[in-house]
Amino acid sequence: MDQTKRALRRIIALSIAAAVLAVPSFAEKVLIAGDSRNDTRGVLPEIVKQSNKIPNLALFMHLGDMTGGASEKEFENYNATIAKVKVPVVAIAGNHERGRDTTRYERMVGPAYFTKQVGRWRFIFLDNSRKTLGDIQWSWLKRELVDAKSAHEYVAIAVHKPLWCPPAGGHVMENPERERVLSLVESSGVKVVLGAHWHNYFRGAKNKVVHVTTGGAGAPLVGDKPFFHYIIGDFRDDGTFDLKVVKINK
């Protein structure tokens, strides 16, 4: 009789485990684009148009260089285009946003660095539009990573200049700051780093961290077989994610 009860309990336990595994993880959709550079081809407006047709999109993300020379008119053009997006929009400054008026970006677009919560994912947006993060931002980054770990959250880092993108050559974040950030990212359990700056597409993995470069939102293309594009990311509450490249024919 005891054997029968144990067998029954085992069957019930296995059935419950199978049912739990069968439940799909909830995913948040995020659109990721970069380097529109005040384009005259209509790439960014097309991305905006397509974004409004994506079911369950939670966030629209621009990774910098939305202007060519950081003029007030260029920022106004960007704001007018992006205002048509139906979901929340976040952005970070690119090097092209740092003209003579170094604070125009903050006044006309938003903060230099910040976090954004999307489900169980913490997106940490870094300002590496200059050659150094600065002591204040560096300390803030370390606190955010520690806090995310204690909260059992998954972390994605968003930057303008990639931390690692071999085909871009030297068109990445400057050293020695880049190596310093890379080391921290790799030791903190960051899942993915999203960057732009290089006007093409790249995806690779370095020390268990996925690195993606998406610089195809309208600026002049470079590199081998470039194409205009954006990315749709599915970020699941189990820590997994999918990144789909969507080409724009312009």
Side-chain angles (χ1 to χ4, degrees):
M1 189 67 175
D2 289 340
Q3 289 181 345
T4 302
K5 288 181 178 179
R6 284 196 296 269
L8 181 59
R9 284 198 295 266
R10 180 175 175 78
I11 292 171
I12 293 172
L14 289 173
S15 299
I16 292 173
V20 170
L21 290 173
V23 176
S25 296
F26 180 73
E28 296 276 10
K29 288 187 181 295
V30 177
L31 188 150
I32 307 154
D35 290 86
S36 53
R37 191 85 75 78
N38 204 36
D39 75 279
T40 58
R41 301 171 183 82
V43 179
L44 184 61
E46 178 62 24
I47 294 174
V48 168
K49 180 180 177 181
Q50 292 188 22
S51 77
N52 291 330
K53 298 178 181 179
I54 299 171
N56 304 316
L57 186 66
L59 190 68
F60 187 112
M61 182 189 305
H62 195 296
L63 298 181
D65 276 5
M66 62 277 292
T67 72
S71 70
E72 189 168 322
K73 181 62 176 177
E74 287 177 311
F75 280 122
E76 289 174 349
N77 289 342
Y78 166 75
N79 286 336
T81 299
I82 219 73
K84 298 175 183 177
V85 178
K86 295 179 180 179
V87 300
V89 177
V90 291
I92 49 176
N95 53 295
H96 279 265
E97 276 69 74
R98 299 306 182 188
R100 291 183 179 180
D101 186 343
T102 60
T103 62
R104 179 172 285 158
Y105 173 86
E106 281 81 359
R107 296 198 311 273
M108 297 193 69
V109 179
Y113 56 92
F114 57 96
T115 64
K116 182 70 175 179
Q117 198 72 28
V118 181
R120 289 192 63 192
W121 284 80
R122 183 179 303 204
F123 286 83
I124 299 178
F125 291 81
L126 291 181
D127 176 22
N128 69 353
S129 61
R130 302 179 176 91
K131 291 185 178 181
T132 178
L133 299 183
D135 292 340
I136 295 175
Q137 185 180 188
W138 177 252
S139 296
W140 171 83
L141 170 60
K142 290 192 291 186
R143 288 195 304 270
E144 285 295 326
L145 289 171
V146 170
D147 187 62
K149 186 175 183 179
S150 66
H152 303 288
E153 294 171 346
Y154 309 110
V155 176
I157 300 285
V159 291
H160 176 65
K161 299 175 185 177
L163 300 185
W164 183 71
C165 181
H171 209 61
V172 293
M173 185 177 178
E174 296 84 356
N175 267 325
E177 191 86 332
R178 178 169 59 93
E179 293 298 331
R180 187 186 185 198
V181 177
L182 262 176
S183 178
L184 180 62
V185 163
E186 291 172 358
S187 65
S188 300
V190 172
K191 294 274 189 177
V192 58
V193 177
L194 306 167
H197 194 49
W198 184 61
H199 303 166
N200 206 327
Y201 171 76
F202 168 78
R203 174 173 176 163
K206 184 178 186 297
N207 295 333
K208 299 182 179 180
V209 179
V210 174
H211 291 260
V212 176
T213 299
T214 172
L221 297 171
V222 300
D224 184 38
K225 298 179 181 178
F227 53 93
F228 296 117
H229 68 280
Y230 63 92
I231 293 173
I232 292 295
D234 286 329
F235 293 88
R236 304 186 187 91
D237 60 8
D238 64 358
T240 60
F241 60 93
D242 288 324
L243 300 172
K244 177 185 176 182
V245 181
V246 182
K247 293 185 178 181
I248 298 291
N249 296 317
K250 288 288 183 178

